[in-house]
Amino acid sequence: MSETKVLLTGAAGKVGTALRPLLTKRYHVVATDVVSFPDAECARVLVGDLSAPGFAAEASRGVDAVVHLAGRVGPGVSFEETLDANYRAVLALLEACRQHGIGRFVFASSHHAIGMLPASGPYDVDAAAVPDGFYGLSKIFGEAACAMYARRFNIKTLCIRIGNADSTVADGRRERLWTSVSDLLQLIEIGISGSGFEHALVNGTSICPSPLLSLESAQAIGYRPADHSTDHRDPGFVPLERLEDSKTRCVGGFFAVSELPSLGWKL
């Protein structure tokens, strides 16, 4: 096991739960979430709100790298609901990295940052940022915040636009941007200890047919995916041609056709 100490946020979420046992085999993991969760393998478990004053600094004290998965997600998430979890928490963690001298920050971004682009692809990270909702919009903010802290304070940051990280592939749209937990772990490990970048933005998928996301930028920093999405189809897999056309027209799928929540204030 490496002596590297890693803070994992969102550790009780879907992706965090899948990654946690793999990360604890390699690193000393401090895990945190807003809800309690049992984990005997982590070096430390903390429950709290990363946007609350002081909690991000407390959680990150003594670690060498931060893997930030936490955040509000969903097509119906309002702008107000993203402010603490997806904006303030990101800045609080980056600022804690600056204050504690933590040199590595891995940010879980999302394909929903380009969710309104046509589902033609493949798109690399130089494609126009066209989010499909307030969740995707917050991910663009997080990417920009990482770039700022990287350039200003010499914190190596890696932003991963994750495709679909379910354990199995549910349908033909998700088959085009699915990622296995082991391939995602490989990218995270590049963020924790890789070289050749100051700030990098990459797509995070496994090997997919007719991919929506290009892996060229990820491969440039050493990523070599091993898993194929076609090998991990769910027993109830629905082929692309049987899906409702409106939900496959854009990269973001269902998110892109869902009603955008009201801003919550009168103009």
Side-chain angles (χ1 to χ4, degrees):
M1 176 190 289
S2 166
E3 291 301 312
T4 302
K5 298 181 179 66
V6 175
L7 172 64
L8 175 67
T9 76
K14 178 182 70 175
V15 178
T17 298
L19 280 169
R20 230 168 48 232
L22 302 179
L23 286 169
T24 53
K25 290 178 181 178
R26 293 163 169 78
Y27 308 103
H28 297 279
V29 175
V30 177
T32 184
D33 210 307
V34 293
V35 297
S36 60
F37 57 96
D39 196 317
E41 302 301 319
C42 290
R44 191 180 180 199
V45 172
L46 297 170
V47 177
D49 184 348
L50 289 164
S51 69
F55 184 71
E58 175 193 352
S60 58
R61 185 173 288 111
V63 305
D64 303 299
V66 173
V67 177
H68 184 41
L69 305 180
R72 289 297 302 271
V73 57
V77 171
S78 71
F79 176 68
E80 292 291 336
E81 288 173 318
T82 64
L83 286 177
D84 281 346
N86 298 21
Y87 289 85
R88 293 188 177 97
V90 174
L91 284 180
L93 281 169
L94 285 166
E95 183 60 17
C97 288
R98 183 186 72 82
Q99 293 178 3
H100 294 324
I102 300 167
R104 297 280 183 156
F105 191 91
V106 181
F107 176 64
S109 188
S110 169
H111 68 283
H112 292 292
I114 60 166
M116 291 307 299
L117 291 179
S120 50
Y123 298 104
D124 208 345
V125 293
D126 56 354
V130 191
D132 51 28
F134 293 120
Y135 167 66
L137 181 65
S138 72
K139 290 303 182 181
I140 295 170
F141 168 84
E143 293 171 2
C146 287
M148 182 177 78
Y149 271 77
R151 300 291 181 346
R152 275 186 169 268
F153 304 116
N154 197 32
I155 300 168
K156 288 188 182 296
T157 59
L158 176 63
C159 299
I160 306 169
R161 284 185 179 169
I162 299 172
N164 175 261
D166 291 341
S167 57
T168 57
V169 182
D171 57 50
R173 187 194 77 85
R174 281 174 273 199
E175 188 174 57
R176 299 179 66 193
L177 43 63
W178 181 80
T179 182
S180 68
V181 66
S182 57
D183 280 341
L184 181 56
L185 175 67
Q186 183 192 155
L187 273 172
I188 288 172
E189 290 195 295
I190 290 172
I192 292 171
S193 58
S195 60
F197 64 93
E198 176 184 24
H199 165 73
L201 172 61
V202 301
N203 289 321
T205 74
S206 294
I207 302 166
C208 301
S210 302
L212 291 172
L213 305 177
S214 169
L215 295 178
E216 185 175 349
S217 293
Q219 290 167 335
I221 61 170
Y223 179 52
R224 300 293 182 267
D227 294 323
H228 295 254
S229 63
T230 52
D231 295 335
H232 295 269
R233 289 178 173 178
D234 188 82
F237 177 83
V238 180
L240 185 65
E241 59 271 15
R242 284 175 48 196
L243 295 173
E244 186 179 328
D245 180 65
S246 64
K247 297 177 182 178
T248 63
R249 196 175 298 145
C250 293
V251 170
F254 177 69
F255 280 50
V257 296
S258 298
E259 183 177 354
L260 191 67
S262 169
L263 284 176
W265 66 80
K266 291 183 179 180
L267 300 178

